[in-house]
Amino acid sequence: MPDIFERIRQDHDAARQLVDEIESTTERARKKRDELFETFKIELWAHNRVEEATFYARLESKGEDEESLEAKNEHHMLNSLIEELDTMPKDNVEWSQKFHAFAELLSHHMEEEEEEFFDLGRQVFSSSETETLGKEFDFRKDAVKSAIAPVE
């Protein structure tokens, strides 16, 4: 079973792949762009919420409030941009450019987590804690995605 670091990295890799797919669409491929963005939006929102409730909550319990708050503030900014992108027509250059700027911020955030925050977590968590957090992450993410998935 993957530990918390592996689980977060798996989600980051999936997000990177979706970003690449979305950025490879053109303004004329609105339906495909809409579908990819809808998947991306749900995945990212669920990831951020669960990451905050598991990884960052545990960092806070270990006295690492400042780092946790920084990451949660970045999540808030990213979620705000996702909401803005969601309300915009996706068949124009403005949307493409805004999504690209968002993708750069997201990339920076994920790299910072994988380098700085993972190192911090490895210093303050035991190996059993990282495994427990990995299981908790999976359980919570499945629950969150089920709760927010569009009804068909």
Side-chain angles (χ1 to χ4, degrees):
M1 174 116 316
D3 68 14
I4 189 66
F5 306 115
E6 292 171 66
R7 276 303 294 114
I8 291 172
R9 189 179 306 273
Q10 288 170 355
D11 274 12
H12 288 179
D13 289 345
R16 288 179 181 105
Q17 182 176 344
L18 276 169
V19 165
D20 288 346
E21 289 180 46
I22 292 168
E23 287 196 316
S24 73
T25 63
T26 65
E27 287 76 29
R28 295 184 330 164
R30 181 175 181 163
K31 185 176 180 189
K32 180 165 180 73
R33 187 179 275 182
D34 282 340
E35 291 169 0
L36 288 169
F37 185 74
E38 185 67 22
T39 299
F40 178 75
K41 174 181 75 172
I42 291 169
E43 286 291 328
L44 185 67
W45 193 87
H47 170 86
N48 287 349
R49 291 292 164 251
V50 173
E51 188 178 61
E52 289 173 11
T54 56
F55 184 71
Y56 288 109
R58 187 64 59 97
L59 278 179
E60 288 173 14
S61 76
K62 302 282 186 171
E64 302 297 341
D65 297 15
E66 188 173 324
E67 288 77 6
S68 179
L69 289 173
E70 176 186 344
K72 290 195 287 188
N73 283 328
E74 288 178 4
H75 285 177
H76 178 75
M77 290 184 336
L78 291 166
N79 288 335
S80 294
L81 285 170
I82 282 284
E83 288 175 21
E84 187 176 339
L85 285 160
D86 196 33
T87 63
M88 295 173 63
K90 293 169 189 59
D91 59 353
N92 60 52
V93 174
E94 181 183 3
W95 190 91
S96 298
Q97 290 176 344
K98 188 171 291 263
F99 184 82
H100 183 73
F102 162 83
E104 288 178 347
L105 290 171
L106 177 63
S107 177
H108 168 77
H109 172 75
M110 292 187 300
E111 288 172 14
E112 184 176 48
E113 282 184 337
E114 292 172 2
E115 294 168 9
E116 296 174 29
F117 296 125
F118 282 14
D119 286 346
L120 178 61
R122 286 185 179 98
Q123 292 171 22
V124 299
F125 302 151
S126 69
S127 62
S128 66
E129 282 178 301
T130 64
E131 290 175 17
T132 300
L133 285 170
K135 291 176 190 171
E136 185 179 339
F137 186 95
D138 282 337
F139 176 78
R140 286 180 180 235
K141 186 161 182 215
D142 288 344
V144 168
K145 283 178 55 180
S146 293
I148 64 173
V151 178
E152 298 189 25

